[in-house]
């Protein structure tokens, strides 16, 4: 008998791609598709923005940038403060849902700095999660809890945005149709879909305790009362953020706030989908396209001031707060490190004096 027939035949080695579970292959495929779509959206927005900006007179842009009145700047700062103040409630709701007792001053610091950093740098799950863990971990909050907190805060944002979008699209369908060249029934249909989503979610979480699984870990969603608070706080935050840009727009545009907030939400959503830091380029291109019937220089000047008020200034303040927070922690750690030695010196001095 041939010796080869007696030898056990080892199974053929599988490549790493073949070894993946079908669900993992599908998830990877969808991740690549999502990344490609984000890059395509970002690139197309940059092209549109470049064509628009190339036709702008630089001198007129400078005058438009400096034409904002003290009243406009003051209102923009006020709405920015209201928006970031409501953002601290995102974390407060999430901490209550997770049954974590954290002082509000710590919650406010973690929330403000995480959002200010993530709004500017992008990749919110990574940047905001890192800042939150930096601040919450000394309070005993574990990484899994920080991740759950970040997800619940994100749910608050999207619920509030959906409510405001539904209200704007349904109540201002005709004005939006003339502004962005869509049909009234299309605006109402999208608004109705957003309203149905919010109502369905509220009914869903009201019937019993709901939980979702994300990357293998289980997250329990807030019930009716906390979800209602999420919607109202998220809606207030979205309206305040839209108010920052609205008050900076030049006078005479003739757009009411209810109509403008829908344009603002679509610009924010496209910016989030592009994964560009702060939606940079995509947000501006969407606003300029929607307001294409108005002079571009004043609108772009308002957009630059909006970036300054809502992104750059809070980002600088957040960095200063994080720096001060780290310096304070270092000083406290140094005091604790030297305290036992100081006690020993005092004890030896007392013994020597006897």
């Amino acid at each position: 008998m041939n010796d080869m027939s007696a030898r056990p035949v080892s199974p053929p080695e599988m490549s790493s791609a073949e070894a993946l579970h079908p669900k993992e292959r599908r998830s990877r495929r969808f991740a690549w598709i999502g990344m490609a779509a984000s890059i395509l959206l970002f690139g197309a927005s940059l092209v549109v923005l470049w064509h628009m900006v190339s036709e702008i007179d630089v001198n007129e842009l400078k005058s438009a940038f400096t034409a904002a009145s003290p009243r406009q700047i003051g209102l923009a700062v006020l709405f920015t403060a209201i928006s970031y103040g409501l953002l601290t409630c995102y974390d407060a709701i999430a901490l209550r849902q997770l049954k974590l007792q954290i002082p509000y001053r710590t919650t406010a610091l973690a929330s403000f700095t995480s959002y200010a950093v993530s709004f500017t740098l992008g990749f919110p799950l990574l940047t905001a999660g890192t800042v939150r863990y930096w601040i919450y971990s000394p309070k005993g909050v574990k990484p899994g809890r920080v991740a759950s907190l970040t997800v619940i805060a994100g749910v608050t944002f999207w619920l509030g945005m959906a409510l405001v979008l539904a209200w704007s699209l349904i109540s201002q369908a005709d004005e939006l149709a003339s502004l962005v060249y869509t049909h009234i029934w299309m605006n109402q249909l999208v608004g109705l879909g957003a309203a149905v989503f919010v109502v369905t979610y509220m009914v869903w979480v009201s019937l019993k305790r709901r939980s979702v699984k994300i990357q293998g870990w289980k997250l329990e969603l807030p019930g009716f009362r906390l979800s209602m608070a999420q919607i109202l706080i998220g809606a207030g935050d979205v309206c305040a953020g839209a108010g920052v840009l609205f008050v900076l727009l030049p006078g005479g545009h003739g757009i009411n706030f209810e109509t403008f907030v829908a344009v603002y939400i679509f610009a924010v959503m496209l910016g989030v989908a592009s994964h560009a830091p702060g939606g940079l380029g995509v947000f501006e291109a969407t606003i300029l396209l929607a307001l294409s019937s108005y002079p571009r220089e004043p609108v772009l000047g308002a957009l630059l001031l909006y970036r300054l008020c809502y992104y750059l200034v809070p980002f600088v303040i957040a960095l200063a707060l994080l720096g001060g927070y780290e310096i304070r922690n270092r000083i406290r750690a140094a005091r604790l490190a030297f305290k036992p030695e100081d006690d020993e010196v005092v004890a030896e001095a007392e013994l020597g004096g006897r």
Side-chain angles (χ1 to χ4, degrees), residues 165-348:
L165 184 63
W167 161 64
S168 179
L169 287 176
I170 294 174
S171 64
Q172 304 295 321
D174 50 347
E175 286 83 357
L176 279 167
S178 61
L179 188 64
V180 296
Y181 307 106
T182 57
H183 294 286
I184 296 177
W185 64 267
M186 185 183 297
N187 295 336
Q188 291 175 334
L189 184 62
V190 175
L192 182 61
V196 168
F197 165 76
V198 174
V199 173
T200 302
Y201 178 85
M202 291 300 296
V203 172
W204 185 62
V205 298
S206 301
L207 296 176
K208 63 177 184 178
R209 291 182 178 273
R210 301 290 185 177
S211 60
V212 294
K213 283 188 176 181
I214 304 174
Q215 298 295 328
W217 51 273
K218 187 177 179 181
L219 170 63
E220 186 175 311
L221 296 174
F224 178 80
R225 293 179 61 184
L226 276 184
S227 294
M228 182 60 69
Q230 283 182 296
I231 291 176
L232 296 178
I233 290 171
D237 167 47
V238 171
C239 289
V244 177
L245 179 55
F246 185 75
V247 299
L248 291 173
L249 289 175
H253 52 72
I255 306 174
N256 59 40
F257 180 74
E258 292 85 352
T259 303
F260 175 77
V261 74
V263 175
Y264 176 86
I265 289 175
F266 277 120
V268 170
M269 291 174 65
L270 290 175
V272 172
S274 70
H275 293 289
L280 185 64
V282 182
F283 179 85
E284 285 78 4
T286 306
I287 296 294
L288 287 171
L289 278 174
L291 305 182
S292 58
S293 58
Y294 303 96
R296 290 176 182 171
E297 290 83 1
V299 175
L300 188 56
L303 284 167
L304 291 175
L305 281 173
Y306 169 78
R307 285 284 176 188
L308 182 66
C309 290
Y310 198 77
Y311 288 89
L312 184 58
V313 172
F315 179 63
V316 173
I317 295 175
L319 292 181
L321 289 174
L322 289 173
Y325 173 78
E326 183 63 20
I327 291 172
R328 188 192 66 176
N329 286 346
R330 299 279 179 149
I331 293 175
R332 284 184 176 180
R335 287 177 177 175
L336 291 174
F338 285 109
K339 188 174 181 180
E341 296 180 4
D342 293 342
D343 292 343
E344 290 179 4
V345 171
V346 171
E348 289 178 359

